[in-house]
Structure formats: C-alpha cells, structure tokens
Amino acid sequence: NLAALLPACRDIPSARNELRWIEQHVHETTRRVSHKSRQVRELCQSRGRGVPLQYVLGSQPFGHLDIKCRPGVLIPRPETEAYTCHLIDLIKKGQISGLSPARGEREVNIVDFCTGTGCIPLLLFASLQRWATRLNVLGVDIADAALRLANDNVHHNEELGNLSVNQLQKLQISRVDVLNDADIEALAETHWDIIVSNPPYVSQRVWDYGHGQLGYSVRKYEPKLALVPGQGIAVPDGWQHQDVFYARLLDIAAMLRPKAMLLELGDEAQVRKVLGNLATHPWAHGSAVEVWRDWPDGVDDG
C-alpha cells in the first residue's frame, strides 16, 4: 500500500501519513471486516494515480468544520480557510467599517458567490453565530453538483453540532447565476454588508499546461468550471479572459453596495490587473484596499 501511494506523495513519511488516514477512513466507513483490506488497497491505488486525497477520504477539515468533498466540486484550500478566518477576526473586532454594533445589536448579512462546497459561508456562519444577534449568510452557485454538496455540508455540520440555524440566524444555499442581471437584482432586495468570492480565475493556458501554477492532479480530477471562466463569457475592455469574474463582481458590488468585499485572486500579475481596474471603478471611489498573501498574518496595505 505504501508503494501504491508513493507516486502521489512526496516521500515515505508522507505516504505513511496518508496510509494511516486511509486506514482510519476505511475502519470508520466499512462495516464488513473481510472487505477492509481490499478497500484500503483500492483507495491507495486510486490515490497513487493522482486522485486528490480529499476525494479519496470524502472530506476536508475547514476550520472546525468537516466539509464533504466529491468529484465535480472544487476542494477547499488551506489558503481559503486562512483568509476566511482572518475575515471572521476582522468582523468580531469591529474592523469592518460600518459593522460596529449599535446599542449592543450585532447584525451582519454576507453573500458568497461561487460557493462550491459551501465551505466559506459555513465557516462564516458557524464562527459568527454566537457573536451576532442577527446573522444572514448566503452561499450561491450555478452548478448542480456544488449546490447539492453545499446543502449536504450544511446538514452534515448541523448533525455534528458545528452550527445551528434558527429564525434570527439564517444560513442558505441558493442557485444564482453571477452573470445574470435578474438574479443579481433579486439579491439586491436584501442589504448585504459583505461580499465574498473565490471565483474561477485560472487562464486556459495554465489549465492546459500547468506552467508550475496548477498541478496535474488538479487539472485531471478537479472541475474546470470552478477554475477557468467559460469560453462564452464576454470580456470587458481592459480585462483578460481569466479576470472576467472580477469585472463582473465589481459591477455586482456597485449594485449591492456592500461595506466590504473579499476576493481570492491568483498570481501577482492578476492582483495588479484587478487592482488597476478597481482604481477606476465607480464602486471603489473612496474605498481602502488591502492585499493579503496566502496566510494573512501580516497585511500589505495598498
């Protein structure tokens, strides 16, 4: 089994760790003892072919949550977890302008676009539910597989006791097309304090060849739809194809008028492109901008 894992692992210690996790997973999920050794072997072989470990095990920790993972939906990344936790800290410390509690009331409405597994809205909700008097967190996506999985993750973490939804604290997963004006106008009926999004932002060339930015396993097993903008999307002047969702999200921010927006971006070149276009966008007039690296322990002010 170790030998089967080695092609996908950096070294023998890493393979031993993954074997231990696979054995534990099989022990917890396979009832018949006679089937366990075969199941471990098959999962090790699958992992050795490059199938992401999260698909093999069926889940990924995200903060204190357990997020189910399935092929067809992007796997949550540690960097995404890190900035989500950082945003939670900023909210709780009153460092989001306009969200300081008045007369002891703590109310916040957050929408997450391109929600995938639902990991971002789930962690935001679970971490703020004891802090907030009123809380409304919405995760939206267009992909059926993502919507099913995100809703499964809500129920799964409710059963684990990680979160509890009630009339004053709402957590919802809904179908919304980011590119559809009617869908966004419907969202505008609610006042949203914060917009969050980890949209598709990988170029077609990087998807095809990797170029050291995207591993073979990701390109073979994870959904292109979640990483590369569709070819049929019109590219606004001054933007590149891989940036089209940022152009759209800035326009959405102009419609929804949030107090803050948090976007995940790719490499430094893309950061510069988005910041350059942000500087001339009407919504950003008078706003402050921060660029966080993968682990936002130190923040670069911009």
Side-chain angles (χ1 to χ4, degrees):
N1 289 329
L2 278 174
L5 287 168
L6 277 174
C9 297
R10 296 184 301 275
D11 47 42
I12 290 178
S14 298
R16 284 185 177 138
N17 281 334
E18 293 201 6
L19 177 57
R20 185 176 72 253
W21 296 330
I22 289 172
E23 288 175 336
Q24 181 180 351
H25 169 71
V26 170
H27 175 73
E28 294 173 352
T29 59
T30 304
R31 293 183 178 181
R32 298 184 63 174
V33 176
S34 59
H35 291 175
K36 289 187 177 182
S37 60
R38 183 180 67 187
Q39 182 72 359
V40 169
R41 182 174 66 253
E42 290 176 352
L43 292 181
C44 288
Q45 291 171 348
S46 179
R47 174 65 180 135
R49 290 193 296 271
V51 176
L53 182 64
Q54 293 86 349
Y55 289 159
V56 172
L57 299 179
S59 67
Q60 165 70 26
F62 196 81
H64 64 286
L65 305 181
D66 184 61
I67 299 297
K68 291 185 176 182
C69 300
R70 295 179 195 143
V73 184
L74 191 69
I75 296 167
R77 264 52 179 187
E79 297 83 1
T80 306
E81 177 186 341
Y83 71 66
T84 303
C85 290
H86 191 59
L87 174 61
I88 291 164
D89 288 341
L90 293 178
I91 294 171
K92 288 182 175 180
K93 292 175 181 177
Q95 295 179 4
I96 302 293
S97 178
L99 277 184
S100 299
R103 299 185 301 277
E105 291 291 318
R106 294 172 172 171
E107 181 175 352
V108 60
N109 298 329
I110 306 173
V111 58
D112 174 50
F113 289 97
C114 309
T115 201
T117 62
C119 59
I120 293 175
L122 264 71
L123 186 56
L124 287 167
F125 182 89
S127 300
L128 294 172
Q129 59 183 356
R130 294 185 180 179
W131 173 88
T133 307
R134 292 179 178 271
L135 179 62
N136 181 19
V137 181
L138 173 65
V140 303
D141 210 300
I142 194 173
D144 289 338
L147 293 167
R148 286 192 299 268
L149 183 55
N151 276 299
D152 284 351
N153 275 318
V154 173
H155 300 315
H156 176 58
N157 281 278
E158 280 186 301
E159 291 174 353
L160 292 175
N162 292 331
L163 53 87
S164 177
V165 181
N166 57 58
Q167 289 185 339
L168 296 180
Q169 296 184 323
K170 299 178 182 179
L171 172 61
Q172 298 175 293
I173 305 296
S174 299
R175 179 188 300 276
V176 169
D177 184 351
V178 174
L179 303 174
N180 185 291
D181 285 343
D183 283 5
I184 304 304
E185 288 168 3
L187 280 182
E189 295 176 4
T190 300
H191 170 71
W192 298 102
D193 299 299
I194 300 174
I195 290 175
V196 185
S197 185
N198 177 13
Y201 59 71
V202 174
S203 70
Q204 183 64 48
R205 185 175 180 181
V206 168
W207 175 265
D208 289 339
Y209 303 107
H211 294 299
Q213 300 179 47
L214 204 64
Y216 171 78
S217 177
V218 175
R219 290 181 284 130
K220 182 174 182 180
Y221 292 103
E222 296 196 61
K224 182 179 180 181
L225 177 66
L227 292 162
V228 182
Q231 291 299 317
I233 303 176
V235 180
D237 292 340
W239 295 88
Q240 295 178 316
H241 178 259
Q242 61 265 30
D243 307 322
V244 292
F245 274 88
Y246 299 117
R248 177 60 176 168
L249 286 163
L250 291 180
D251 291 343
I252 289 173
M255 296 173 67
L256 302 186
R257 309 301 299 179
K259 297 177 177 68
M261 180 163 66
L262 170 58
L263 303 176
E264 179 170 333
L265 297 100
D267 59 14
E268 183 177 341
Q270 188 168 56
V271 172
R272 293 182 181 277
K273 172 67 71 174
V274 173
L275 289 180
N277 282 284
L278 172 66
T280 61
H281 197 279
W283 175 73
H285 179 70
S287 64
V289 179
E290 290 182 351
V291 178
W292 308 343
R293 297 191 181 277
D294 287 348
W295 304 97
D297 298 322
V299 177
D300 296 330
D301 293 333

